[in-house]
Amino acid sequence: MLNKIRPALGRVLTPVGQAVARTGVSPNAITVIGTIGVAAGALVLFPRGEFFWGTMVITAFVLFDMLDGAVARVTGKISAFGAFLDSTMDRVADAAIFAGLMIGLYRAGQEPLAAVALYCLVSGVVVSYAKARAEGLGYTCNVGIAERAERLIVALVAAGFDGLGVPYILAVALWGLAVLSTITVGQRFAAVYAQASAGAGAGAGNGAQNGAEKTPEPRP
């Protein structure tokens, strides 16, 4: 859903990317540093119940990580490996965020909500994998009500407000994400099934079946 604003976002980030590029930092380094920062904020602060400060740290590094594409464009260092690294690191960051929430909630005695956070983690992985696998087989799978950007915004906003003492907001957000992620998986299954029934993507053949699991999902 938020993919519609990506062109405008790219125009905003390009001048910042040009400034960062002058420092000599590579796009891949930005990707790795951003992921490490997100994982550290999520796995150090969230388990301690510091949901507000954890959200602030994660948000800062998520914004930093968004510069990798802009730097790659202005330096001409766009590569297939960079796309693979970016998508893989996105999965690591997502897992760290929901794992941190799960541990923090469990330690706070909210075991049922911790289980919902675990479900959000797993369903988010399935959402991304479904698209990667579909594209590896030659289908298009650009559908879904809750892609990565939407999931991150909802989770982080709710965690931040929960850290400020707003009641029930994190529970509502996690349950909502669980439902929306499930719907998104269904949408992607339906989209691929429709194409398969119509004979689309047949050129992918059996050769894609062994390697498609490793095909990264482009950043939504």
Side-chain angles (χ1 to χ4, degrees), residues 14-194:
T14 296
V16 183
Q18 291 171 335
V20 174
R22 286 194 288 270
T23 67
V25 179
S26 71
N28 290 347
I30 292 174
T31 299
V32 173
I33 293 170
T35 302
I36 291 173
V38 169
L43 297 176
V44 173
L45 295 173
F46 278 175
R48 296 169 56 186
E50 298 285 349
F51 287 168
F52 175 77
W53 290 112
T55 297
M56 294 298 100
V57 171
I58 291 168
T59 301
F61 279 101
V62 166
L63 294 175
F64 176 77
D65 180 61
M66 291 173 65
L67 295 174
D68 57 0
V71 173
R73 286 191 297 273
V74 300
T75 59
K77 294 181 178 179
I78 298 175
S79 67
F81 176 77
F84 168 80
L85 178 67
D86 184 55
S87 294
T88 303
M89 292 297 100
D90 282 349
R91 305 290 83 77
V92 173
D94 295 352
I97 290 170
F98 285 100
L101 285 173
M102 179 186 67
I103 296 169
L105 291 167
Y106 182 82
R107 288 182 173 179
Q110 301 186 59
E111 289 88 351
L113 196 55
V116 178
L118 175 60
Y119 182 87
C120 289
L121 189 162
V122 175
S123 59
V125 171
V126 175
V127 166
S128 296
Y129 177 82
K131 182 175 182 178
R133 182 59 168 159
E135 291 178 343
L137 292 171
Y139 302 112
T140 58
C141 197
N142 298 314
V143 297
I145 194 173
E147 295 186 289
R148 181 178 188 255
E150 289 86 352
R151 297 195 304 272
L152 281 186
I153 290 172
V154 171
L156 292 177
V157 169
F161 278 109
D162 182 86
L164 292 175
V166 178
Y168 306 117
I169 188 168
L170 186 56
V172 171
L174 289 177
W175 278 105
L177 281 177
V179 173
L180 293 177
S181 296
T182 303
I183 292 173
T184 301
V185 172
Q187 289 176 307
R188 293 189 169 182
F189 267 80
V192 174
Y193 180 78

